[in-house]
Each structure stands twice: as C-alpha cells, then as structure tokens.
Amino acid sequence: VPVVMAETRERGGAQARAYDATREHLFAGQLLADRSPIGTIPSLEAATAPSVRAFHSRWYRPQTTVISIAGDVDPALLEKLVKTYFGGWKVKGAVPPMPDFGKPDGTKPVAKVVTEASLPRVVTYAMLRPWQRVDDTIVYNEGKWTELLALQLINRRLEARARAGGSFLQADVAQEDVSRSADATFISIVPLAEDWEQAVTDVRRVIADALAVPPTEEEIAREATEFEAALQVAADRSATESGSAQADNIVGAVDIRETVATSQVALDVFRGLMPKLTPQVLHESTKMLFAGDATRAIMITPTAVDNGDARLAAAITAPVEASDNSRLAAQTIRFSDLPPIGTPGTTVGALRTGVLDVEMVSLSNGVKALLYPNDAEVSKIMVKVRFGKGMKSFTSDQGPLIWLGEAALAASGVGPLGQEELDRITTGRRIGLAFSVEDDNFAFAGETRPQDLEDQLYLIAAKMQMPRWDANPVQRAIAVSKISYESYTSSPQTVLNRDLQWLLRDKDGRFATPHPDSLAKITPEAFRAAWEPLLASGDIEVMLFGDFKRDEAIVALEKTFG
C-alpha cells in the first residue's frame, strides 16, 4: 500500500489534476468518470489482505486469461509447456459478468473550464457515442480505414491553416474507443493567443466545410497513397519484426476483442478498399464521426475565464459558416521537376575501414561517405549527413538560436518547396528531413528505402545548397516555445527536463531551455542571418547504413552531394 500511495503522490500535480478533470467531465455519468485506475486514497487505505485476495480470485482466473508467445521456437513445445504449467490452474466459483461501463449521458453539463496556472491553454471537445462490441471482420476494418482517411483529410487542412499563421497553433481530430465506455471523436485545439474563442470557431469552420461538401478525388488519392505506402513499409519489414512486438500485438488485440493479421494481409485489405473510397463514401463517414449522443468540451487554461463554462458551451454549439478556403489545391510535384544541384561529381577513392563492412568513399568535390550495405532490416536505409561544428559554432548567449534551428530549420523549406510542397513531393514516399545540433557537428537525417534513396539524398543536399527561408515555421516555433515553457513548472519532473542539461554543463547557455522572451527577440531575418552561413560550413560526411546496393548508392551520391 505505501508503494502505490507513493506512486499516487508522484502522479499528482497540475497534469494529474487536468487529466482527472478531463476524464470526469467528458465521461460524466459513467464509471470511467468516478476515478482513475490507480484508485483513491480512501480505497487504498482500506485495502486488506483478504480484500485483495478476493479481488484476485474474482478476476484472475483461467477463463479470462490469454497467453501470448512469439519467437523462434517449435509451437508444439510451447503448447506442451503451457499445458504443463497452466493446465492445472483452477479457481472456485463462476466467472463474474463483465461490468457495464455505461453509455454517454447527454443530460450532463456541456462545458467546463479548469484553471491551472502552470499549464498551457488547450480546448478539447468530443462527440460521444455508446461503445459497442464488434466483430473484427474485413468489412469492419474497411470501415475503420475509411474513418481514419476521413479524419486525416480534415487534419491535413487544419495543419495547413496552422502553418499559415491562423488563430490556432495546433489542432487535430481523432476517433478512439475509450475503455469500453464510449466511441468518441475528439477535437483538440491549442490556441495561438488568448482569443481561444476565435480559435475554436476557426477549427469548427474547417470541420463544417468537411461536413457540408465531400472531399475531392485528388485529396482522397493523396491520403490513400500515404496510407498504402506506410502499410507497404510494414509489410516489407515484417520478416524482422520482433517477437516481443508480435506478442504485444496479440494481447492488445484480445484486449479490444479484435484479432491479428500479418502486415501483408493489412496491406491487401486496404488495397481492396481503395477503389471503394469515393467522395460520397468519405463524406458519409465524416458525418457519422461528428454525430453523437452527447457533446462535451473542457478547457484547461492558465488564467481564469469570466463566465467560462457558458462561453465554452456557446463556442462549440453556436452555428458557424463553413470555411471557404480550407481545402488544399490539387498540385502534383515531382523531384524530376526540380533544378539539379550541380554537375555530377565522380568517385576518386574508396577505402575499407576495417569496421564490419563499412567503406569510406571520397567524391571529387571533397565529400566523404561511409557506406554499410546490409539486409538486417529489409527495405530500410538510415541516412545521416554531418557537417560544421555544431555547438562549438555558438557562444553561451546564443542558445535560443540553437533551439530554433532544431525546431524550424528543416521546416523552413528547400529551394522552391515550402512545407506544403514538401508534403506533396514526398506523398507515398519514405523520405525524411530531421535536423539536430550535436556537440561537434550539425546533422540532417532521414529514414528511407532503396527506391527513394536518390531523392532522399537530393532533398538533404538541396537543403544545404539552396535553402529556403520561410518565416512562418520560425514564428510558429517561437509561439510553441511560449506555450510549452508555461508547463515546465507543473511538476518536479518537468523542471528537471527543462534544466538538467544546463546544470550538467555548468550552466552553459547553449544547453539551456530558452525563455520565450529571448526567443521573441529573434526575427525570421535574424534567424536566416545566423543559420545561412552555418549551412555552408565545414566538411560534409554522408552515412548510409541499410538495405541498398553499393553501386546504385554511389551513383546517387555523385548526382546529389557530388
């Protein structure tokens, strides 16, 4: 009991209070609202050996047990072992019926505002429907895929609005079956400023547009291609999936009364669905997702709001006009349409390093590449490009520039490509663009596959050769810093997360979490002035580790970094 009590105390604080308030309000009238799974102080203090034993006997029994084993072993041996060690397990008494967790109660209050000074402002509202048991058939899975696509269409539009400098920093929609209590559609909104009502209205206008007019075939094709590509990657890598992941997947499926299938089966099911994904089908799915027996909203805010509950209720129920500019125009972009980086170079040297089968290749312009072709993970290539001096390029008072570089440099664009164009050109591809500042170098990184390797290399090389300097990612990163910084004092753990590296480095400002006031002083122009010369600094080393052919990789290197 003291151990669990200590865990309860560790989970306390603003975050726990906000979580509990959200659960209690959204699921009012249901068992889920009564308490979190860890229990209450009175219930823990009242626990006795006989009461714990009675609970164990009631719920821990053979009829409610599933044993999941996955790995390189003979199934017949596993069956024998399970029978040997579990076959004699018996518990007296009948299996108790599963409790009824209740249904969403539409008579409970619609809105609630909770003030937590150390947390950022977040609005969450939900459309709640009764949770129902399902049969995990192909038809059921086609319905779930359709729901996911319908939601992703809206999320794409919301993200585009946020990137363009709208009234909200972030917004997304999601569907979740919650603890056998509700089939819910959740809308989460992080307002950009204190005018949270405008942010809620703007998000609702985007959703209203999706409810009023079916999506275009081009929008559907874009999202379906992304889904198919992700499923293809999973299928390609299924041979190296760990046994622990497979065992966990089986247990997770049993927990929600579903089954499991191979990655290839999931891909086949989705491909069978793709011809059925018409605008009307997606539109009908959207309308069902935003209907419910109860609508609830909660706002966590750092400052008190006068008449907050009534204002929040009005914000999510008042009529809104559908947005007329939330849809993304059809635009096909190909890497072949982009300008070449320069004249392809040549390979002037190759040296075996003596470490595994790693080879160092020298290109005619001075770029070095470390190549390690291997098939440990099928269709997976890790790409990393190191250059410059990293932290050593900055003084102690330039920490905010380091933080902004990691947050906004990749998002600020490549040549003619802004964020939306980068999304489009990589649709259905396995191409990444992450940036980090390390102790003694800067690094771009991406995970790709053999058929995308050349374009992955082009993207990183183009970022260095012809960077773009869009202002919105910088301004958005600064806004994110302000909102996130407010939450660092919510618990001892978040204070430690904020300050540990700074303290370990003798309070070197380069390793400090920057204060929003210091970030607000950095303009997009100042950001470019600081980072543009750094992108052109130092020798370049490209590392390719994974499933690729050496000669093809060298040709791709010569055309890009060469």
Side-chain angles (χ1 to χ4, degrees):
V1 169
V3 171
V4 182
M5 297 276 278
E7 186 178 347
T8 303
R9 289 192 297 271
E10 289 172 7
R11 292 184 179 186
Q15 292 281 8
R17 290 193 298 271
Y19 169 78
D20 286 341
T22 300
R23 174 178 47 76
E24 291 165 6
H25 177 66
L26 295 184
F27 303 101
Q30 297 180 260
L31 288 177
L32 184 58
D34 291 349
R35 60 172 177 80
S36 63
I38 200 170
T40 63
I41 299 299
S43 69
L44 292 170
E45 290 177 336
T48 64
S51 69
V52 172
R53 185 180 298 114
F55 181 89
H56 189 280
S57 297
R58 181 178 177 84
W59 295 112
Y60 290 73
R61 52 177 59 233
Q63 299 91 332
T64 57
T65 299
V66 171
I67 300 171
S68 172
I69 309 174
D72 185 14
V73 64
D74 181 4
L77 174 61
L78 295 179
E79 182 179 359
K80 179 181 178 181
L81 290 172
V82 170
K83 287 180 177 178
T84 298
Y85 292 106
F86 288 87
W89 180 23
K90 293 182 175 24
V91 177
K92 294 180 180 179
V95 179
M98 292 300 295
D100 181 0
F101 293 171
K103 295 178 173 56
D105 187 347
T107 67
K108 299 296 182 181
V110 171
K112 182 176 183 177
V113 174
V114 176
T115 304
E116 284 290 350
S118 61
L119 295 182
R121 186 177 289 103
V122 178
V123 177
T124 302
Y125 73 98
M127 287 77 175
L128 305 168
R129 300 166 291 272
W131 177 82
Q132 297 177 341
R133 292 179 179 271
V134 299
D135 292 322
D136 192 12
T137 63
I138 288 178
V139 172
Y140 169 74
N141 278 272
E142 288 181 337
K144 298 302 289 184
W145 282 122
T146 304
E147 287 181 356
L148 283 171
L149 276 165
L151 293 171
Q152 182 55 28
L153 286 164
I154 298 173
N155 282 328
R156 179 85 67 179
R157 297 171 186 176
L158 290 171
E159 175 62 13
R161 292 288 292 270
R163 286 175 176 175
S167 59
F168 52 91
L169 186 64
Q170 180 182 334
D172 61 77
V173 295
Q175 184 278 334
E176 184 179 353
D177 291 325
V178 185
S179 299
R180 308 188 185 191
S181 300
D183 165 12
T185 302
F186 294 98
I187 300 92
S188 178
I189 306 166
V190 180
L192 185 61
E194 293 186 6
D195 190 357
W196 56 269
E197 286 161 304
Q198 184 62 56
V200 172
T201 297
D202 288 346
V203 170
R204 290 188 62 217
R205 291 189 66 204
V206 173
I207 295 171
D209 177 45
L211 292 170
V213 182
T216 66
E217 292 186 357
E218 190 273 341
E219 284 183 299
I220 297 171
R222 178 181 182 181
E223 303 307 335
T225 300
E226 286 280 80
F227 275 60
E228 183 185 24
L231 291 168
Q232 180 66 65
V233 169
D236 290 343
R237 298 177 184 173
S238 60
T240 54
E241 183 180 31
S242 68
S244 61
Q246 293 173 344
D248 286 345
N249 286 341
I250 293 170
V251 170
V254 170
D255 185 48
I256 57 176
R257 295 190 74 255
E258 293 186 2
T259 186
V260 292
T262 66
S263 300
Q264 184 61 51
V265 168
L267 176 60
D268 293 342
V269 170
F270 184 74
R271 283 177 171 165
L273 170 67
M274 289 176 71
K276 308 173 190 176
L277 294 172
T278 65
Q280 193 57 42
V281 166
L282 269 296
H283 193 214
E284 290 302 317
S285 181
T286 302
K287 288 189 285 188
M288 287 189 290
L289 283 164
F290 289 93
D293 295 358
T295 298
R296 301 255 170 73
I298 185 167
M299 178 168 67
I300 309 298
T301 172
T303 56
V305 178
D306 292 338
N307 199 27
D309 292 0
R311 288 170 60 185
L312 179 58
I316 68 162
T317 58
V320 294
E321 292 185 6
S323 173
D324 58 3
N325 62 348
S326 64
R327 301 192 174 220
L328 305 177
Q331 183 182 14
T332 300
I333 309 173
R334 301 179 180 85
F335 277 93
S336 58
D337 299 330
L338 301 178
I341 292 172
T343 303
T346 58
T347 300
V348 296
L351 174 69
R352 290 287 174 181
T353 64
V355 179
L356 301 175
D357 290 322
V358 178
E359 179 184 19
M360 177 177 284
V361 172
S362 299
L363 302 180
S364 53
N365 63 351
V367 170
K368 296 287 194 295
L370 292 174
L371 309 182
Y372 180 28
N374 66 84
D375 59 358
E377 293 185 272
V378 177
S379 195
K380 181 177 181 179
I381 308 170
M382 301 306 297
V383 179
K384 190 170 187 178
V385 178
R386 305 197 303 176
F387 65 99
K389 297 181 179 179
M391 288 288 188
K392 296 178 181 179
S393 302
F394 300 92
T395 60
S396 181
D397 61 349
Q398 290 181 305
L401 279 170
I402 300 171
W403 187 92
L404 267 182
E406 292 191 320
L409 189 62
S412 61
V414 176
L417 308 176
Q419 282 186 285
E420 170 60 19
E421 290 77 20
L422 283 171
D423 282 352
R424 284 189 174 276
I425 202 170
T426 56
T427 294
R429 313 288 297 279
R430 206 65 181 172
I431 297 175
L433 186 64
F435 179 73
S436 61
V437 180
E438 303 180 2
D439 283 357
D440 59 357
N441 65 83
F442 302 111
F444 283 105
E447 178 185 314
T448 189
R449 55 186 179 174
Q451 58 266 47
D452 295 330
L453 176 59
E454 182 176 323
D455 291 337
Q456 172 72 80
L457 292 172
Y458 175 95
L459 188 65
I460 299 177
K463 178 63 187 178
M464 301 176 72
Q465 177 74 8
M466 42 184 161
R468 183 180 173 113
W469 301 100
D470 287 349
N472 281 338
V474 177
Q475 294 166 339
R476 190 181 187 190
I478 291 172
V480 167
S481 77
K482 182 177 186 302
I483 290 172
S484 60
Y485 200 88
E486 293 171 350
S487 67
Y488 282 127
T489 58
S490 63
S491 72
Q493 183 62 49
T494 53
V495 172
L496 193 63
N497 291 342
R498 181 190 67 192
D499 293 340
L500 181 59
Q501 290 303 315
W502 173 66
L503 292 169
L504 291 177
R505 308 283 186 137
D506 197 25
K507 298 185 178 180
D508 185 332
R510 294 175 298 174
F511 299 92
T513 301
H515 193 279
D517 291 346
S518 61
L519 286 166
K521 297 175 183 177
I522 301 176
T523 64
E525 293 75 21
F527 176 82
R528 175 176 182 173
W531 277 102
E532 192 164 26
L534 293 175
L535 275 180
S537 67
D539 297 333
I540 295 173
E541 180 183 65
V542 183
M543 294 181 283
L544 302 181
F545 298 160
D547 185 13
F548 63 88
K549 291 182 171 57
R550 174 190 182 275
D551 293 344
E552 293 177 1
I554 288 178
V555 170
L557 283 166
E558 291 173 342
K559 292 170 63 177
T560 55
F561 281 92

